[in-house]
Amino acid sequence: MDSEAVRSFVVAAELGQVQRTADELGVTQQAVSKRIAALERELEVRLFARTPRGVELTPDGRAFLPHARAVVAGVE
């Protein structure tokens, strides 16, 4: 599992917007979207529902968030 994809997921979950996540991580919006899409493919679940105002966690995303935070904390 790519730790940068997990970090992108956690930050996006906290901020609720892919562009703000990209700004926070110092990468492009496209990079964040690709990381999250790859993570969703790997986990075989949708982590976010895209909305006109940003992203919202799906039930699977909410279930994964505590585990993702633990991964990020372990990497740091």
Side-chain angles (χ1 to χ4, degrees):
M1 187 173 297
D2 178 10
S3 64
E4 288 304 312
V6 176
R7 181 183 314 279
S8 296
F9 164 74
V10 170
V11 174
E14 292 170 352
L15 298 179
Q17 291 186 335
V18 174
Q19 184 58 57
R20 288 183 58 207
T21 300
D23 294 343
E24 178 74 21
L25 297 176
V27 299
T28 65
Q29 182 175 350
Q30 182 180 14
V32 171
S33 294
K34 285 184 176 184
R35 288 175 181 175
I36 292 172
L39 186 59
E40 288 176 326
R41 281 192 305 277
E42 183 175 348
L43 297 173
E44 298 180 352
V45 296
R46 295 282 300 185
L47 298 171
F48 289 107
R50 278 69 176 178
T51 70
R53 293 186 309 210
V55 292
E56 294 178 0
L57 288 171
T58 63
D60 288 324
R62 284 191 296 277
F64 180 62
L65 185 57
H67 305 288
R69 285 187 171 134
V71 168
V72 170
V75 170
E76 292 176 346

